[in-house]
Amino acid sequence: ITTIYEGTTGIQANDLIGRKVGRDRGVAMFALLDDMTRELEALRTTDVAATTAIAAALTGAADLRASTESLLQSLASMPDRAMAVSVPYLRLCGTVIGGWLLAKSAAIAAQKVADQTTDREFLTAKLRSAHFYAQQIMPTAGALARIVQSGAASVVEADAIHI
């Protein structure tokens, strides 16, 4: 089984930018990003895994904010360019939102470990998962953000007949 070009992923991505983000000019997305940033900045922990996850999630949220601003500019003036980067934008959203939620769970787990809560093995695994995500998955958010912000031309300007 292989991915169908512009299959369901493309449909969902186009729906995200066209009917969700574009519909209200990013108001809901920016509100979510404000909530994410506020929550992440309020987290207090000295645990290395949790602080790493929080820092990576904050960086990802900033990348998603800049990419959303760029995407909205494209939607307003050159919608074909926005659609050309809709799948990377969808992936960026998923990566960053996942990082935010993992960072929150890591901070909670770190507090419970510090409080000597039972189920230490489970909590330690949560911290390891968040640390892994921060170091192995979250860096892709920066690459996806660059694609969203400056990768549309390579798609829009391509001569499909000679490719």
Side-chain angles (χ1 to χ4, degrees):
I1 298 173
T2 61
T3 302
I4 299 170
Y5 182 73
E6 290 302 317
T8 56
T9 302
I11 292 166
Q12 295 300 321
N14 288 341
D15 181 65
L16 173 63
I17 67 168
R19 294 189 351 187
K20 306 298 188 290
V21 176
R23 178 191 63 201
D24 67 359
R25 300 190 200 291
V27 171
M29 179 58 80
F30 290 128
L32 174 61
L33 286 163
D34 289 344
D35 288 347
M36 289 168 56
T37 302
R38 187 173 34 260
E39 287 180 11
L40 289 164
E41 289 174 343
L43 296 174
R44 300 288 177 250
T45 183
T46 58
D47 182 88
V48 173
T51 56
T52 300
I54 292 165
L58 282 166
T59 299
D63 286 340
L64 181 53
R65 180 177 300 279
S67 295
T68 301
E69 290 167 354
S70 174
L71 187 76
L72 287 167
Q73 289 175 354
S74 292
L75 273 172
S77 60
M78 297 173 283
D80 57 335
R81 289 182 180 266
M83 294 299 172
V85 294
S86 64
V87 171
Y89 183 77
L90 175 72
R91 291 178 56 212
L92 174 61
C93 289
T95 300
V96 171
I97 292 169
W100 162 53
L101 295 173
L102 277 168
K104 285 175 52 172
S105 71
I108 293 167
Q111 184 59 52
K112 288 185 176 189
V113 167
D115 293 343
Q116 307 286 326
T117 303
T118 58
D119 211 3
R120 188 173 180 88
E121 185 177 330
F122 171 76
L123 297 169
T124 301
K126 274 268 191 225
L127 289 165
R128 285 188 191 125
S129 294
H131 195 234
F132 172 85
Y133 196 91
Q135 292 191 323
Q136 296 285 324
I137 308 300
M138 283 304 295
T140 65
L144 290 166
R146 284 191 301 281
I147 294 168
V148 171
Q149 293 173 41
S150 61
S154 64
V155 175
V156 175
E157 296 169 3
D159 181 358
I161 294 173
H162 295 102
I163 293 180

